[in-house]
Amino acid sequence: MSKQVNDSQPETEATSHELETLRNLIYGNQARAAEKRIANLERRVEAVYAELGETIRSKTGETSATSAEKLAQTRQDLLERMDSQHVDLLERMDSQHVDLGKRLDALAADMKNQLNALQTKMERLHAEQTERLLTLQADAQERDDDLRQELLTLTAWLDDQKTSRYTLGDLLVQLGDQLRQKKEESN
């Protein structure tokens, strides 16, 4: 049996070879043309693929470079904006600080003026009160002197005259009333 298997193999190989030869004769030109076209197409596809890969790489490189430039420019613009805003903010803060300083100076000056006016008013009131007190003391002294003089006069008059107890009482009541009236007038 092993001989039969070995014998049948050369027959299949020969048949296979014959079929190949027949196929080449019948379809040989067409097959070669098709293979050529397929090979050309494969080369073209590879060339297009390579060209496409190169285009993608160059576009990616350009895009990367452009993106890097744009990113750097954007970063620079942002830094400039932040610097200008920072400067503007500092200027505004300085102007507000100056305004607050001016306001505080104005308030301090106003308060000083008010304190000076109040001190002047207090000094004037003190002088007026002192003057009133002196005037009242002088008036009181003058009234006191007048009353003493009147008492002395009345006493001298009474010494010279004899009066009754009733008249003397009436005179003392009148004297008391006069003293009370003068006291009320002074108040």
Side-chain angles (χ1 to χ4, degrees), residues 28-42:
N29 288 337
Q30 287 178 349
R32 276 187 287 258
E35 283 178 11
K36 235 186 206 185
R37 275 190 247 154
I38 289 173
N40 284 338
L41 284 174
E42 284 178 352

Side-chain angles (χ1 to χ4, degrees), residues 13-29 32:
E13 282 180 19
T15 312
S16 190
H17 186 55
E18 286 175 4
L19 280 174
E20 217 31 63
T21 308
L22 272 175
R23 211 178 307 170
N24 276 338
L25 287 176
I26 298 173
Y27 298 110
N29 288 337
R32 276 187 287 258

Side-chain angles (χ1 to χ4, degrees), residues 12-13 16 35 51 88-89 91 98 122 124 135 153 156 162 178:
T12 48
E13 282 180 19
S16 190
E35 283 178 11
E51 186 180 325
D88 289 345
L89 182 63
E91 287 173 356
V98 167
M122 291 295 287
R124 187 172 29 91
T135 304
T153 305
K162 290 185 178 185
Q178 286 178 359

Side-chain angles (χ1 to χ4, degrees), residues 115-175:
L115 285 173
N116 287 339
L118 185 61
Q119 185 177 6
T120 305
K121 191 174 184 179
M122 291 295 287
E123 287 171 357
R124 187 172 29 91
L125 284 173
H126 180 68
E128 286 176 6
Q129 291 297 326
T130 305
E131 187 179 325
R132 279 187 190 167
L133 181 63
L134 291 174
T135 304
L136 286 174
Q137 283 177 346
D139 285 348
Q141 184 66 38
E142 188 179 321
R143 281 189 212 134
D144 189 40
D145 290 343
D146 287 345
L147 285 174
R148 280 187 188 170
Q149 187 61 38
E150 191 176 333
L151 275 177
L152 287 175
T153 305
L154 281 175
T155 307
W157 180 70
L158 284 176
D159 281 344
D160 290 341
Q161 294 186 4
K162 290 185 178 185
T163 57
S164 71
R165 291 184 288 177
Y166 299 110
T167 308
L168 186 60
D170 285 340
L171 287 175
L172 286 175
V173 169
Q174 287 177 0
L175 180 64

